[in-house]
Amino acid sequence: MSQTGQDRPSVLRAARERTRAEVTRQILDVARRHLGTDGASGLSLRAIARELGASSSGVYRYVASRDELLTMLIVAAYDALGAAAEAQEAAVARADLAGRWSAVCDAVRGWALANPNEYALIYGTPVPGYVAPAATIAPAARVSGVLLGILTDAAAAGRRTAARADDNLPPAGQKALQPARSVVGSEVPDALLQRGLMAWAALFGTVSFELFGQLHGIVGEKPGDREAFFAESVHRWAVQIGITPGRSSIAPEAGALEPAGSAGTAARARAAEDGATPNAKKASS
């Protein structure tokens, strides 16, 4: 057989694969538009086939069922969100933990606002009757993987918040963190891991509240209000985790720790004197 004859099967195979990839891309593009009009539970392969000008049987050669189509859309959405978070975080200096955290948060919010239907597919109401297969697990973990990497680097750099009475997790709490432990390892203290996961949940909760209209009447509607609220939330989450210092203030926030005993009394006296007005100081002299 000539070299040309040997190469022909691989050339034809490559052509079929390109055709399959292109048709699949067209199916997914139409399906994404239908997410906005019909919702995930209303997706129909027959409707998609009609829009493509193809028969239902023709579409079924590329997508076996509605559930397979949902899985393809979910994996693609998780991968797109994960890629956005990874790219923005990677552009920040490794030592800038707060900057990396902020970059991930901004990427999540920016992607959600630009792709509301796909965000709703992966973080909104579950589709009745659909059970996500194992193929969705790794793509879904991409954002959390970036955030857990920041926690690992924070622990390595010795960035920890001041010790508090609730830093020691009970056995049940430690057990609950075991899946995350397989990612970050034992070098990340329980308290840091707990706070990091709380901030991760708060991030997606805040983005979901904004996207699904739950901030109306709570956070201002004027230009910049939502951005300011989100930026302040991102900063305070970073403070909670311990990767950035809190802003200084004249008086400690309610519940803040202070030195005990005579040291605490002296500290309070100094704070009171520093905060007194000039007239008050003169009167007391």
Side-chain angles (χ1 to χ4, degrees):
M1 180 181 294
S2 66
Q3 185 66 31
T4 302
Q6 291 175 341
D7 291 344
R8 186 172 295 117
S10 62
V11 170
L12 294 175
R13 187 181 306 111
R16 287 195 296 269
E17 290 173 355
R18 286 195 299 270
T19 299
R20 183 175 188 84
E22 175 60 21
V23 173
T24 301
R25 183 192 63 77
Q26 292 178 13
I27 292 172
L28 291 177
D29 286 346
V30 173
R32 290 188 185 95
R33 290 199 296 271
H34 284 217
L35 283 176
T37 57
D38 305 322
S41 59
L43 282 180
S44 166
L45 288 177
R46 288 188 175 85
I48 291 172
R50 283 196 300 270
E51 183 166 336
L52 289 172
S55 64
S56 298
S57 59
V59 171
Y60 279 114
R61 286 201 296 268
Y62 298 92
V63 182
S65 65
R66 184 212 65 163
D67 282 6
E68 182 176 323
L69 176 61
L70 280 171
T71 297
M72 294 167 69
L73 290 169
I74 288 169
V75 168
Y78 276 132
D79 277 336
L81 174 57
E86 290 164 358
Q88 288 193 220
E89 190 267 349
V92 181
R94 298 297 84 192
D96 185 4
L97 298 176
R100 289 164 60 189
W101 164 255
S102 180
V104 175
C105 294
D106 289 344
V108 169
R109 179 175 182 265
W111 187 88
L113 295 179
N115 304 275
N117 298 324
E118 291 170 87
Y119 182 90
L121 174 65
I122 55 180
Y123 291 109
T125 304
V127 179
Y130 173 78
V131 178
T136 62
I137 295 176
R142 289 180 66 169
V143 173
S144 59
V146 177
L147 296 177
L148 290 173
I150 295 174
L151 294 185
T152 299
D153 290 347
R159 299 281 192 90
R160 302 185 188 181
T161 52
R164 298 195 314 222
D166 62 352
D167 270 357
N168 294 324
L169 266 63
Q174 296 175 18
K175 183 179 178 181
L177 296 178
Q178 286 308 307
R181 277 269 169 245
S182 66
V183 179
V184 300
S186 60
E187 66 272 18
V188 178
D190 289 337
L192 178 58
L193 183 55
Q194 177 72 33
R195 292 174 195 169
L197 294 179
M198 289 166 59
W200 166 69
L203 163 63
F204 281 93
T206 301
V207 170
S208 294
F209 263 40
E210 179 177 4
L211 196 64
F212 301 145
Q214 300 300 320
L215 296 183
H216 292 308
I218 304 298
V219 176
E221 306 284 350
K222 294 181 180 179
D225 287 345
R226 299 291 169 83
E227 287 74 12
F229 174 76
F230 187 76
E232 184 63 23
S233 298
V234 170
H235 169 75
R236 289 175 180 266
W237 293 329
V239 172
Q240 178 189 37
I241 297 171
I243 58 177
T244 193
R247 300 187 181 96
S248 60
S249 59
I250 295 176
E253 294 182 358
L257 295 179
E258 63 178 6
S262 59
T265 302
R268 286 192 296 272
R270 286 195 300 272
E273 183 176 355
D274 291 342
T277 64
N279 287 336
K281 290 183 179 180
K282 181 177 181 180
S284 63
S285 62

